[in-house]
């Protein structure tokens, strides 16, 4: 019994770390740029396949994650400075911009998914990496899963510290809390929004790299991870990076436990969490705190 419990806890911790990175990327994009990016999962898919391509060239997948991060940032930054900046200029209000930007991200989701299908096909992909196991409390845990957990936690904590301690991080939090007041203080809100969108793309790419190390992946994987990201963001609190970190681990544990009982009930459990949370505490666990 203890072995099964430890296995559930360890698996939940690992997936929770990945979910936290995924949700933090979406959270900063919405909290700062006010874009609910439903194409977020496609950026995860692209990150997984770019890592896969580099691995085939004999590049370590952890190094591949570092290599693709600047490219992911550039794509996100340019996308915001062109498409979303133009949309912001022509939108009459913030609410109009939010709804229209979500529609654009839906279109972007299908564009990226179809590009992925044309380039990489529809088949499942995987590659071997650190397949040896270590035994902890009688449970064999694959070394690659432990590495993914360490990198997920490290990325999450470094990102949180970056927001708290650096000048740009403080500007990002200021825009997230009150864009109008931040602009009056001399902060270039559109530039900060573009940087934040780029950072969100980087976090999605990193999550894709980590997912590719431990799971099979394909070009239609994006939507499921977008749903998970939205659930975690709502669970933690819209726009709250710390809430996304907490919510990611909570959902990871719940998902692993439900999957152990009956895998077909995982999404049902996720949606029940959202329904209950919206009825009881609609602001989320952290209530919008950064």
């Amino acid at each position: 019994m203890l072995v099964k419990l430890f296995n559930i806890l360890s698996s939940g911790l690992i997936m929770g770390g990945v979910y936290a990175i995924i949700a933090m990327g979406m959270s900063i994009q919405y909290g700062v740029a006010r874009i609910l990016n439903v194409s977020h999962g496609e950026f995860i898919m692209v990150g997984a396949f770019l890592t896969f391509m580099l691995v085939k060239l004999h590049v370590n997948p952890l190094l591949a994650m570092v290599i693709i991060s600047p490219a992911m940032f550039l794509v996100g930054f340019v996308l915001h400075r062109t498409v979303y900046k133009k949309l912001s200029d022509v939108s009459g209000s913030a609410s109009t911009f939010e709804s229209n930007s979500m529609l654009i991200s839906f279109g972007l989701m299908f564009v990226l998914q179809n590009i992925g299908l044309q380039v990489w096909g529809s088949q499942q992909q995987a590659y071997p990496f650190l397949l040896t196991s270590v035994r902890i409390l009688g449970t064999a845990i694959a070394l690659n899963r432990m590495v993914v957990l360490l990198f997920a936690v490290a990325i999450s904590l470094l990102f949180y510290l970056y927001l708290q301690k650096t000048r740009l991080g403080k500007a990002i939090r200021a825009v997230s809390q009150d864009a109008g007041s931040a602009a009056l203080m001399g902060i270039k809100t559109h530039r900060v929004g573009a940087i934040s969108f780029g950072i969100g793309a980087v976090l999605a790419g990193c999550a894709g790299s980590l997912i590719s190390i431990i799971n099979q992946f394909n070009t239609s994987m994006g939507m499921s991870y977008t749903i998970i990201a939205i659930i975690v963001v709502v669970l933690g609190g819209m726009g709250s990076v710390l809430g996304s970190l907490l919510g990611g681990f909570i959902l990871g544990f719940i998902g692993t436990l439900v999957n152990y009982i009956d895998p077909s009930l995982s999404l049902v459990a996720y949606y029940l969490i959202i329904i209950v949370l919206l009825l009881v505490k609609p602001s989320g666990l952290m209530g919008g705190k950064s």
Side-chain angles (χ1 to χ4, degrees):
M1 181 64 183
L2 289 176
V3 173
K4 290 181 179 179
L5 179 60
F6 180 76
N7 192 36
I8 292 172
L9 290 175
S10 60
S11 296
L13 195 62
I14 292 165
M15 293 314 301
V18 176
Y19 290 169
I21 296 177
I22 293 171
M24 284 193 298
M26 175 174 279
S27 182
I28 193 173
Q29 288 178 340
Y30 179 78
V32 180
R34 311 309 299 177
I35 299 169
L36 185 59
N37 182 20
V38 294
S39 66
H40 194 61
E42 268 52 52
F43 283 88
I44 296 171
M45 177 269 291
V46 170
F49 274 96
L50 289 178
T51 303
F52 177 62
M53 291 176 65
L54 289 173
V55 167
K56 290 201 295 184
L57 296 175
H58 308 291
V59 177
N60 184 294
L62 298 175
L63 178 60
M65 180 170 57
V66 177
I67 294 172
I68 68 174
S69 289
M72 298 296 290
F73 176 83
L74 184 62
V75 170
F77 183 86
V78 171
L79 184 64
H80 186 278
R81 293 294 284 180
T82 53
V83 176
Y84 289 112
K85 174 63 166 60
K86 177 64 176 177
L87 181 64
S88 177
D89 291 340
V90 300
S91 297
S93 64
S95 59
T96 300
F97 171 73
E98 285 191 35
S99 58
N100 289 343
S101 65
M102 186 170 66
L103 292 175
I104 285 181
S105 67
F106 264 114
L108 182 61
M109 176 185 72
F110 291 112
V111 169
L112 290 175
Q113 188 177 101
N114 280 279
I115 290 175
L117 282 170
Q118 293 298 318
V119 175
W120 296 302
S122 60
Q123 65 274 21
Q124 294 275 2
Q125 299 290 355
Y127 56 85
F129 179 68
L130 297 178
L131 296 180
T132 56
S133 299
V134 294
R135 297 194 71 84
I136 302 176
L137 298 179
T139 302
I141 301 178
L143 190 57
N144 59 2
R145 295 178 68 83
M146 294 185 65
V147 168
V148 165
L149 173 60
L150 290 174
F151 270 78
V153 172
I155 291 170
S156 300
L157 292 179
L158 286 173
F159 176 59
Y160 180 72
L161 290 174
Y162 177 80
L163 290 180
Q164 296 296 318
K165 302 298 184 181
T166 67
R167 184 182 179 88
L168 178 58
K170 292 176 181 178
I172 289 173
R173 289 192 294 122
V175 175
S176 175
Q177 292 168 7
D178 191 330
S181 297
L184 292 175
M185 296 298 292
I187 297 175
K188 298 179 180 179
T189 56
H190 283 297
R191 183 173 180 83
V192 171
I195 292 172
S196 298
F197 200 84
I199 291 174
V202 169
L203 292 173
C206 289
S209 297
L210 295 177
I211 289 168
S212 72
I213 291 175
I214 59 175
N215 290 336
Q216 292 185 331
F217 51 96
N218 56 51
T219 49
S220 61
M221 65 187 278
M223 178 55 76
S224 61
Y225 285 106
T226 296
I227 292 172
I228 287 172
I230 292 173
I231 292 172
V232 174
V233 168
V234 174
L235 177 62
M238 294 294 285
S240 172
V241 173
L242 185 59
S244 294
L245 178 62
L246 177 62
F249 282 107
I250 291 175
L251 197 70
F253 283 120
I254 293 175
T256 301
L257 179 61
V258 174
N259 191 64
Y260 177 77
I261 298 171
D262 186 346
S264 65
L265 295 177
S266 294
L267 279 179
V268 175
Y270 293 163
Y271 285 122
L272 283 176
I273 292 171
I274 292 301
I275 292 172
V276 172
L277 188 67
L278 290 175
L279 292 174
V280 176
K281 197 175 190 300
S283 61
L285 296 176
M286 299 302 294
K289 298 177 184 178
S290 297

